[in-house]
Amino acid sequence: MTDEAELRDRIGAFLDRNFPQIEMHGGSWDIASLDPETGEVHLLLSGACDGCGISSLTTEALRARLPAEVPELTEVTVETGMGEESRPTTEDLSDVPF
């Protein structure tokens, strides 16, 4: 079992390295909840992410890429500050630039 603090650090490093545009564009992220036993993480995007036209692409990219880099995570949910939770998509996101 992985330590929660280590998982939080790895998630934060992933976000800082792969999604710097969140903070560069005036947004912010927070780990709202993390359960190391089940592998579930709930991220909250706020600030400029509220109402951003590409926030849905960002949330889908996070859901697809975060478990690939942090394999202990089995479920990633992402919510914008507006309370809109990400939902699974059938879109091909392989060409999304982040």
Side-chain angles (χ1 to χ4, degrees), residues 22-33:
I22 291 173
E23 290 184 6
M24 289 173 23
H25 295 157
S28 62
W29 59 265
D30 185 40
I31 300 172
S33 65

Side-chain angles (χ1 to χ4, degrees), residues 6-52:
E6 178 192 344
L7 269 178
R8 285 181 178 274
D9 288 345
R10 289 171 53 206
I11 293 166
F14 168 85
L15 287 163
D16 289 341
R17 184 176 59 254
N18 294 290
F19 291 86
Q21 69 275 18
I22 291 173
E23 290 184 6
M24 289 173 23
H25 295 157
S28 62
W29 59 265
D30 185 40
I31 300 172
S33 65
L34 173 62
D35 186 337
E37 291 184 27
T38 64
E40 296 175 26
V41 63
H42 183 89
L43 301 174
L44 177 62
L45 302 181
S46 57
C49 294
D50 292 349
C52 174

Side-chain angles (χ1 to χ4, degrees), residues 47-65:
C49 294
D50 292 349
C52 174
I54 64 166
S55 65
S56 62
L57 290 176
T58 303
T59 60
E60 291 304 321
L62 284 167
R63 290 180 48 138
R65 293 183 56 200

